[in-house]
Amino acid sequence: MLGGMTTSVPARTVPTGTGDELSQVVRWLEYHRATLAAKCAGLTEEQLRTPSVPPSELTLLGLLRHMAEVERHWFRRIMTGEDLPWLYCDEEDWDRDWHFGEQDTAAEALATWQTEVELATKAAAGRTLDEPAPDRLPGKELTLRWIYLHMIEEYARHNGHADLLRERLDGDTGV
């Protein structure tokens, strides 16, 4: 159950210690994506909207929105050079992914995140780790390897936040 709807949680398997570098980073990113989905599974809309502790505005709903924005940015805007608007953020509020209103739902956030993960996976398919991204960040040369490693770091950090949020909500730890 997620925000009042049943969802399937992707299989979460610790990657094996074998395989080439590309398959290793892909599997670790998939593992961390599945971890975020597991941390959000079984919760109500209200629980997903519940902030951690004052003054923080950190919520699981915000994490889903933020990670959708991050997937879109690094794989599609940076790696493929697609000219895409931000999903949630804008010049009035660059943290709008964390700031949501009554009209914003967990179901929408989950569907958007899942779509962006699928599109990111497609954007990276068939590329090599050393493939450079178009020059979209002045003075910073990036490759697909860098993007994968950054995404693993991004998920790992935020999954730590998700662990604490989930434990506060219902006492669930681990996963």
Side-chain angles (χ1 to χ4, degrees):
M1 179 98 101
L2 174 64
M5 61 184 279
T6 303
T7 60
S8 62
V9 177
R12 188 173 170 271
T13 306
V14 175
T16 64
T18 60
D20 61 53
E21 184 183 9
L22 178 58
S23 66
Q24 289 287 309
V25 295
V26 168
R27 287 189 296 234
W28 274 108
L29 182 54
E30 289 170 351
Y31 173 83
H32 282 291
R33 287 169 172 160
T35 299
L36 180 59
K39 289 297 170 185
C40 295
L43 298 175
T44 67
E45 179 84 27
E46 182 181 343
Q47 287 172 312
L48 291 164
R49 292 171 163 274
T50 302
S52 57
V53 292
S56 177
E57 298 175 300
L58 186 65
T59 64
L60 287 168
L61 176 56
L63 280 172
L64 283 171
R65 289 165 51 102
H66 176 68
M67 293 314 296
E69 197 81 89
V70 169
E71 291 274 1
R72 180 183 187 97
H73 177 70
W74 288 107
F75 283 104
R76 297 179 58 213
R77 295 176 87 226
I78 298 298
M79 187 64 224
T80 67
E82 291 179 58
D83 185 18
L84 298 169
W86 293 99
L87 291 166
Y88 304 109
C89 302
D90 59 35
E91 290 188 19
E92 290 179 27
D93 185 358
W94 286 111
D95 289 327
R96 195 177 301 269
D97 44 353
W98 301 104
H99 306 145
F100 46 84
E102 290 297 316
Q103 76 282 0
D104 300 307
T105 67
E108 179 277 327
L110 177 65
T112 300
W113 174 67
Q114 289 172 329
T115 296
E116 290 302 326
V117 165
E118 289 171 19
L119 293 170
T121 300
K122 288 178 185 173
R127 297 178 185 270
T128 67
L129 288 175
D130 292 322
E131 186 167 335
D135 185 14
R136 304 262 312 186
L137 299 177
K140 193 164 200 164
E141 193 174 313
L142 301 175
T143 62
L144 182 58
R145 175 183 286 104
W146 189 95
I147 291 170
Y148 269 120
L149 293 173
H150 174 68
M151 290 299 294
I152 291 166
E153 175 273 331
E154 183 89 11
Y155 271 99
R157 180 167 33 96
H158 288 312
N159 282 339
H161 298 135
D163 280 338
L164 295 171
L165 284 160
R166 182 64 188 248
E167 184 176 8
R168 180 178 183 272
L169 290 167
D170 67 0
D172 190 19
T173 60
V175 180

